Amino acid sequence: MSENAKTAGEPALLVEDLWVEYPARRGVVKAVRGVSFELRRGETLALIGESGSGKTTLGLALVRLLPKAARIKQGRIMYYRNGTSQDVLALNAEQLRRFRWQECAMVFQGAQNALNPVLRIEAQFLDTARAHGMTDAKAVRERAIELLKMVQLDPQRVMHSFPHELSGGMRQRVLIALGLLLQPQVIILDEPTTALDILTQRSVIEVLRRLRTQLDFSLIFISHDLSLAAELADRVATVYAGAIVEIGSVYDIFERPRHPYTLALTRSVPTVTGEMHPLASIPGSPPDLINPPLGCAFHPRCPYATDQCRSQEPRLERVGDDQFAACWHWQEVKP
Amino acid sequence: MTVNATPIIELDRVSRVFEQRRRQVKAVDAVSLAVQEGEVVCLVGESGCGKTTTGKMIAGLIHPSGGEVRYAGKNIWAMSKDEFRRYRLAVQLIHQDPYASLNPAHTVYGIMSAPLLQHGIVANHKQARERVRDLLRTVDLTPPDDFLDKYPHQLSGGQRQRVSVARALTVSPKVIVADEAVSMVDVSIRVSLLNMLSRLKRDLGVTFIFITHDLAVAKHFAWEGRIAVMYLGRMIEIGRTPQIINHPQHPYTRALLSAIPEADPRITRTKERLQLRSLDIPSLLNIPSGCSFHPRCPLFEAGLCEVSVPPLADVGDGTRVACHVVARERAKEVVA
């Protein structure tokens, strides 16, 4: 089970004080503002945030797939494997090509658009393998069949299909299989279940859960959907205005959140099971990343805000055994 | 809700067939529904189940291929021009996508004053401005003067959706058909939109037909109303919300409810899941015979389910279910 993730030893990925900006007409968009976290070996980490929180930019930065206009202003991304480390931001083009997919694969949002529409699925596997120096077509085909079975697809049917012949959920599972082709150690999934129907979402969730027990990799998924984090994550990080405002085990985050934003988020999602309780809404609007509020970016919407919050930005501090929150008043925050 | 009153909206075996490359797609198949004034009914189902098409037929935006849509007892497609105009004002549709449904070239005032002036609800721009201000306050866009002269692109998704709601309210509708009205906005905004719509329902007594794929949202919005579940164009279960949520009868409803991930790790990781025989949703071009759910259904019985379409049968507690097996088992219980 992924819940028994090994916590000892070096992490798979370490991010330190990462800043990413985009120029825009109105000014500079500060999409990622001083993010630090580690991805532990074998764990599933969920980055949860709303649209415009910078979570996708953060994911793209980890594999250095940011759009040209974006700039990594500062920070460090370290990747570890078998006792050696690599500074991802210092990789040259050739090293980067190898790093992506073989070490760290990203599965993008919108499975519809991520596959080449004029290639059969088999060809997409072969192309990917060839681009990374695997020329033994027979071996690649065998590996592809094995992976497709793991994601609960019928290889006989899927291998010879074009993407448009598959449903959204099937395409999403093909992409997951494709991401696993070169046995990467880290997989990043961006909104893996968004825009899928409920029963299809369930099949993707079950596939991911099964893969975590069968293969050895660490998983980061980026989503706006808290219930997906509740389903799959070992640890959860809440992202607000380009920064991680809280990170901790999935149970701490849902049951003992210490950041007012995490608390508000978890209380604003309706559940099907259980009692009817009134939902608490979060006042105000999402922050503007060109002119983020001074001090704590959440202060204009926060019921705990004081003068200190309006002038000084809090940093992540330890608030529990394995839980960190960036809030001046975390001790007062009670579920 | 008086049982004998004429329903404000009534669908009587309404169907809609679309032609697609000379093939017929049956988007809605003989759906019947009676909605009383002041009631809330959620239409729930996955994409392609016909819920949006049904909503558009209720709002008179598309013609049914068969059956009748009635407003206050009258077939809307047999109304006089004047009656039809009044019906169209009384039934307003709120679209899913507030980015597409507001004209980007008009200000909030322009968007909202047009129906007021067009339908003679106000006499001049001065009165229109006053009325628009009131409506913006009703949907919590305050202070209204901050929004009057803004263009849609200057508003957030949640604010746009509020403008869409305010625009629907300009003509004082009796019925609002809200098609996935909260699906495209962020979590933190969704609740305040939902709460605002609930308040309108309560304060204005508006009848709501609320279309959503999200059963959790349906539960919260329509706890005192009803939920109707659709699958491949047919209504397969309808009943009071607490019954549907806590005691679902149709295997499809049960599968949906058990599959929903919940924002609580302890609940969601221990939830019992109903396994389906097939993960794939059949194409609307090739709807399975008999009960269209039969290829996926765990209760499937050969010689029964694929033979005839099950009718909606009353199984008690105000629930009706279109399932041969469930209807038979419940009937046995009654006899015993």
Side-chain angles (χ1 to χ4, degrees):
Chain A
M1 249 339 257
S2 55
E3 275 149 84
N4 304 327
K6 291 165 261 176
T7 45
E10 61 184 15
L13 203 61
L14 183 68
V15 177
E16 281 177 341
D17 199 27
L18 187 69
W19 292 73
V20 184
E21 297 180 344
Y22 295 98
R25 244 182 306 163
R26 276 196 308 129
V28 176
V29 181
K30 297 160 193 87
V32 177
R33 302 184 306 122
V35 164
S36 303
F37 69 93
E38 59 170 16
L39 174 67
R40 295 167 188 166
R41 207 157 288 278
E43 82 166 339
T44 300
L45 174 68
L47 298 176
I48 296 298
E50 298 182 273
S51 51
S53 62
K55 59 191 191 301
T56 296
T57 302
L58 174 58
L60 291 172
L62 297 180
V63 282
R64 285 185 56 193
L65 279 172
L66 289 165
K68 276 226 167 64
R71 201 164 70 92
I72 296 181
K73 221 179 84 187
Q74 69 178 71
R76 216 159 68 106
I77 302 171
M78 297 301 291
Y79 171 84
Y80 301 88
R81 185 171 208 171
N82 306 329
T84 61
S85 66
Q86 273 183 313
D87 182 344
V88 176
L89 296 182
L91 298 178
N92 64 31
E94 178 53 30
Q95 291 168 324
L96 197 56
R97 208 175 60 81
R98 241 175 305 154
F99 171 73
R100 292 181 193 143
W101 226 313
Q102 284 176 42
E103 306 290 347
C104 187
M106 183 152 180
V107 178
F108 291 96
Q109 184 173 359
Q112 184 100 27
N113 310 321
L115 291 164
N116 186 334
V118 298
L119 288 186
R120 292 181 198 277
I121 300 304
E122 179 176 42
Q124 319 232 7
F125 276 95
L126 291 170
D127 266 17
T128 307
R130 203 176 311 119
H132 290 272
M134 276 170 74
T135 45
D136 182 352
K138 190 162 166 279
V140 173
R141 226 172 260 125
E142 276 168 19
R143 171 90 179 137
I145 288 171
E146 184 191 351
L147 287 167
L148 288 173
K149 280 187 191 149
M150 276 189 201
V151 297
Q152 305 283 297
L153 289 170
D154 172 10
Q156 298 298 339
R157 175 183 164 199
V158 171
M159 285 287 264
H160 301 290
S161 298
F162 287 103
H164 74 267
E165 295 173 313
L166 306 174
S167 70
M170 292 168 88
R171 278 195 292 262
Q172 185 64 47
R173 282 178 279 154
V174 167
L175 280 175
I176 292 170
L178 201 53
L180 291 164
L181 179 64
L182 304 174
Q183 291 164 310
Q185 197 197 212
V186 175
I187 294 199
I188 301 170
L189 300 171
D190 191 7
E191 300 282 7
T193 58
T194 304
L196 297 179
D197 271 324
I198 294 158
L199 296 175
T200 317
Q201 269 188 34
R202 171 56 51 198
S203 66
V204 171
I205 289 170
E206 296 307 331
V207 156
L208 287 172
R209 180 169 287 149
R210 197 165 311 125
L211 286 173
R212 300 283 302 104
T213 65
Q214 290 171 340
L215 301 173
D216 183 29
F217 59 88
S218 313
L219 181 65
I220 294 180
F221 68 84
I222 298 166
S223 182
H224 71 283
D225 186 352
L226 277 104
S227 52
L228 187 64
E231 278 275 349
L232 281 176
D234 299 312
R235 284 195 307 146
V236 178
T238 23
V239 182
Y240 189 79
I244 289 180
V245 296
E246 182 159 13
I247 184 167
S249 84
V250 65
Y251 294 104
D252 285 338
I253 292 293
F254 279 92
E255 289 164 12
R256 287 171 290 279
R258 289 304 204 165
H259 194 285
Y261 177 63
T262 314
L263 175 65
L265 263 191
T266 53
R267 296 304 175 270
S268 67
V269 183
T271 55
V272 170
T273 311
E275 297 292 300
M276 259 295 279
H277 56 83
L279 298 170
S281 68
I282 305 179
S285 338
D288 176 5
L289 290 179
I290 292 176
N291 287 306
L294 269 182
C296 170
F298 188 59
H299 86 252
R301 308 174 75 184
C302 183
Y304 298 89
T306 59
D307 282 342
Q308 186 181 24
C309 307
R310 286 180 268 273
S311 57
Q312 285 174 275
E313 184 158 18
R315 299 187 147 270
L316 280 177
E317 62 175 298
R318 186 182 289 276
V319 298
D321 277 350
D322 188 21
Q323 186 180 7
F324 300 82
C327 174
W328 295 118
H329 303 293
W330 65 266
Q331 275 161 317
E332 299 158 39
V333 178
K334 293 272 153 60
Chain B
M1 181 179 126
T2 26
V3 182
N4 295 324
T6 307
I8 189 157
I9 292 288
E10 194 174 8
L11 303 180
D12 186 0
R13 297 192 62 78
V14 168
S15 300
R16 174 68 209 207
V17 177
F18 292 106
E19 295 266 336
Q20 197 188 43
R21 289 190 208 139
R22 290 212 209 120
R23 288 201 284 184
Q24 301 223 313
V25 180
K26 208 161 203 184
V28 176
D29 185 5
V31 165
S32 296
L33 174 70
V35 182
Q36 300 295 332
E37 194 158 358
E39 215 192 343
V40 188
V41 176
C42 283
L43 295 181
V44 172
E46 299 188 283
S47 48
C49 73
K51 56 190 192 298
T52 292
T53 305
T54 304
K56 285 185 173 166
M57 289 195 286
I58 292 171
L61 295 182
I62 48 180
H63 229 290
S65 322
E68 272 184 20
V69 178
R70 297 189 199 110
Y71 171 71
K74 281 200 170 148
N75 179 358
I76 61 167
W77 296 106
M79 283 177 170
S80 70
K81 214 174 160 191
D82 202 43
E83 282 175 323
F84 190 71
R85 198 185 66 91
R86 272 196 306 248
Y87 147 75
R88 284 293 289 267
L89 289 178
V91 181
Q92 290 291 312
L93 181 74
I94 298 170
H95 292 271
Q96 167 167 21
D97 184 354
Y99 292 81
S101 63
L102 298 176
N103 188 331
H106 291 244
T107 62
V108 169
Y109 172 72
I111 287 167
M112 290 182 58
S113 60
L116 290 170
L117 294 162
Q118 168 71 32
H119 298 293
I121 298 162
V122 295
N124 51 43
H125 275 280
K126 189 165 169 284
Q127 287 181 10
R129 234 175 156 78
E130 236 3 86
R131 182 85 185 108
V132 169
R133 279 202 190 94
D134 285 347
L135 288 166
L136 289 176
R137 272 186 219 109
T138 309
V139 296
D140 301 327
L141 289 175
T142 50
D145 288 323
D146 284 5
F147 295 94
L148 278 177
D149 300 313
K150 284 215 164 111
Y151 288 89
H153 77 265
Q154 294 171 302
L155 304 175
S156 70
Q159 290 169 340
R160 282 180 222 213
Q161 199 56 298
R162 285 169 195 273
V163 172
S164 300
V165 174
R167 177 180 56 182
L169 295 176
T170 53
V171 293
S172 310
K174 287 196 148 80
V175 180
I176 289 182
V177 181
D179 186 6
E180 299 279 13
V182 302
S183 304
M184 283 193 52
V185 298
D186 267 316
V187 190
S188 71
I189 309 298
R190 191 178 302 162
V191 175
S192 56
L193 259 178
L194 266 179
N195 290 347
M196 186 263 288
L197 290 173
S198 301
R199 209 188 59 227
L200 291 180
K201 179 177 79 189
R202 207 176 49 235
D203 295 354
L204 306 177
V206 180
T207 307
F208 261 93
I209 316 262
F210 194 85
I211 299 170
T212 179
H213 69 283
D214 188 335
L215 273 155
V217 166
K219 170 188 168 188
H220 279 262
F221 190 72
W223 189 247
E224 272 124 40
R226 289 186 292 158
I227 289 179
V229 185
M230 295 184 67
Y231 183 73
L232 293 178
R234 295 185 190 138
M235 190 183 288
I236 53 108
E237 181 162 5
I238 180 165
R240 294 202 309 271
T241 302
Q243 285 296 323
I244 299 290
I245 296 294
N246 296 328
H247 308 287
Q249 299 295 319
H250 197 286
Y252 175 68
T253 315
R254 283 166 46 209
L256 268 187
L257 281 164
S258 79
I260 293 172
E262 306 259 27
D264 179 320
R266 280 181 216 278
I267 291 177
T268 205
R269 292 178 192 208
T270 53
K271 222 165 130 171
E272 211 177 303
R273 313 253 179 243
L274 190 76
Q275 295 300 325
L276 295 183
R277 297 192 300 138
S278 156
L279 283 175
D280 299 319
I281 303 176
S283 155
L284 278 171
L285 289 168
N286 202 358
I287 294 178
S289 65
C291 170
S292 51
F293 190 57
H294 84 255
R296 310 174 73 188
C297 185
L299 302 183
F300 171 69
E301 287 182 18
L304 175 67
C305 299
E306 81 282 24
V307 178
S308 62
V309 179
L312 276 172
D314 196 327
V315 294
D317 297 316
T319 300
R320 286 184 299 147
V321 187
C323 173
H324 292 301
V325 180
V326 169
R328 187 188 64 209
E329 298 306 311
R330 289 292 170 280
K332 271 190 208 156
E333 283 169 25
V334 173
V335 174

